[in-house]
Amino acid sequence: MERIVILISGRGSNMQAMVEAGLPVAAVISNRAEAAGLEYAVARGIATVIVEHRDYATREAFDAALAQAIDGFHPELVALAGFMRILTEGFVLRYRGRLLNIHPSLLPAFPGLDTHARALAAGVKLHGATVHFVTPQLDNGPIVIQAAVPVLAHDDEARLAARVLAEEHRIYPQAARWFLEGKLVIESGVVRVKGDHPQQLYAP
Ligand code: GRF
């Protein structure tokens, strides 16, 4: 069965959502030994690997070690799930077309960090999350699915982040499943899902 390698740096709740959705997760790899998500993976009997970025002098050397760890599992799909390292172009191109990321905003709005605070400061009325194929440009790349979340009058960063996260847990497993089922087609940088499944969700 086709399998997924998930890269995390911390909590790992998106990784957990994929496991709980019954997706075939071959391994969880973290760049930080203290990533909380590793405990969950170990408890579920999933292989875990730690590739500490601090042990490598350059991004290239780290990415080479990471690629070696990933390739040992022969995954179909590599999923970034809260993986807080900027990847080299060489790494991204090696996994071109089979590297997904989840980002907590409606891209192309708010790439980068602190998306919820920036959404509140900008006064947007809709915020959300995006699953996209990874390209060498940060938080860019063909969009697979987005979830829209209303920004409510009394939202603060924590409340908004929690509602967006709940949607992340719905859209990332869906996107990964479509990928493994061979349903994702990229045409001129735009992703279509075979069978015309809706590529947007609205927070209930
Ligand atoms: C999520 O908000 C994800 O969109 C972002 O980092 C966070 C990771 O959370 N890239 P978790 O580790 O999956 O719980």
Side-chain angles (χ1 to χ4, degrees):
M1 192 181 206
E2 300 90 342
R3 301 189 303 171
I4 310 172
V5 166
I6 304 178
L7 306 192
I8 67 168
S9 296
R11 179 177 56 186
S13 71
N14 278 290
M15 171 269 293
Q16 200 170 321
M18 287 206 219
V19 172
E20 278 161 20
L23 289 164
V25 177
V28 174
I29 300 178
S30 173
N31 65 309
R32 292 174 60 238
E34 59 278 21
L38 288 171
E39 273 174 46
Y40 171 87
V42 168
R44 295 294 296 248
I46 297 166
T48 58
V49 181
I50 297 158
V51 186
E52 281 273 7
H53 63 270
R54 274 166 290 176
D55 293 347
Y56 298 88
T58 63
R59 281 192 194 280
E60 286 71 21
F62 170 68
D63 282 6
L66 192 58
Q68 199 177 9
I70 293 169
D71 293 350
F73 295 98
H74 305 289
E76 284 286 306
L77 173 65
V78 179
L80 306 178
F83 187 68
M84 302 303 285
R85 299 299 298 168
I86 300 210
L87 296 162
T88 58
E89 180 163 350
F91 181 95
V92 170
L93 295 180
R94 178 189 188 96
Y95 298 102
R96 183 181 8 207
R98 57 193 187 100
L99 182 59
L100 290 177
N101 182 43
I102 184 146
H103 182 74
S105 78
L106 291 175
L107 289 173
F110 310 121
L113 297 174
D114 299 324
T115 55
H116 308 304
R118 287 157 63 208
L120 288 170
V124 297
K125 306 310 170 203
L126 282 172
H127 185 42
T130 303
V131 178
H132 65 95
F133 282 99
V134 177
T135 60
Q137 198 186 332
L138 183 72
D139 297 329
N140 189 272
I143 292 170
V144 177
I145 184 168
Q146 292 187 304
V149 172
V151 180
L152 304 177
H154 299 293
D155 265 345
D156 59 17
E157 201 181 329
R159 274 196 293 260
L160 183 56
R163 293 209 314 284
V164 171
L165 191 64
E167 299 313 303
E168 293 185 35
H169 297 162
R170 298 170 71 198
I171 62 174
Y172 212 178
Q174 176 63 264
R177 191 175 302 283
W178 282 336
F179 180 91
L180 295 181
E181 290 171 350
K183 290 199 170 125
L184 299 182
V185 184
I186 309 177
E187 285 161 358
S188 311
V190 173
V191 182
R192 192 171 63 74
V193 184
K194 287 184 200 164
D196 289 330
H197 299 279
Q199 286 168 273
Q200 59 284 109
L201 278 185
Y202 304 95

